[in-house]
Amino acid sequence: MIDETINPRFEGATLVIETSDETEVYDSQFLVAALLVYVAKGDGSISSSETAEMLKGVGRHFHLESAQSLELLNRALTNLADNPDLEGLLRDLSGVLTRDDKREIALMMLKVAAADGRRDAEEMEKLHVAAEIIDIPPDVLHQAFDDYFAENMT
């Protein structure tokens, strides 16, 4: 949990936040994992198919082994529960993302939302909130939807 930040700063593409108790380091991997967990939890729980899709997505995107992907997702899940200002943190981290990064992240969020085979309005709402948090332009989000349907409608 982040409390009483002392010296938040960017070191390259990494956000370093010092508190009275510890130093937390957040990077784009954490950002993506947190957004995927946020969307997956949109309907109140994370299904095994959503977990599998998140593991696959972060593993493929960041070239991580499954154990590393699982550790990253667990860290994101814990931070979502413990950090009252996670939205602000994610917003800060999003500054390092390109349009292409945002398109890929939007596509991953869509895949996670669809992984359990249900169409939950809550998850789609969380996806749109997540897109706003990291400032995904509407045309980029639309492109991600097009990518998703092109992959899944064959």
Side-chain angles (χ1 to χ4, degrees), residues 50-107:
E50 289 168 330
T51 300
E53 185 60 43
M54 288 188 295
L55 288 168
K56 184 171 78 174
V58 297
R60 182 178 52 237
H61 188 74
F62 295 111
H63 309 290
L64 299 175
E65 299 293 326
S66 58
Q68 293 171 303
S69 297
L70 182 59
E71 182 178 326
L72 180 61
L73 290 167
N74 280 332
R75 180 175 176 222
L77 186 60
T78 300
N79 271 272
L80 279 173
D82 291 347
N83 190 343
D85 188 34
L86 189 63
E87 182 177 318
L89 172 66
L90 295 176
R91 196 175 307 280
D92 290 344
L93 279 170
S94 71
V96 302
L97 300 174
T98 66
R99 281 177 65 89
D100 288 340
D101 292 335
K102 291 177 181 183
R103 183 175 175 173
E104 180 66 24
I105 291 167
L107 180 58

Side-chain angles (χ1 to χ4, degrees), residues 9 11 20 25 40 44 49 52 55 64 80 84 88 100 112 115 123 131 140:
R9 65 191 178 283
E11 293 179 1
S20 56
V25 178
S49 57
L55 288 168
L64 299 175
L80 279 173
D100 288 340
V112 168
E123 285 181 347
V140 172

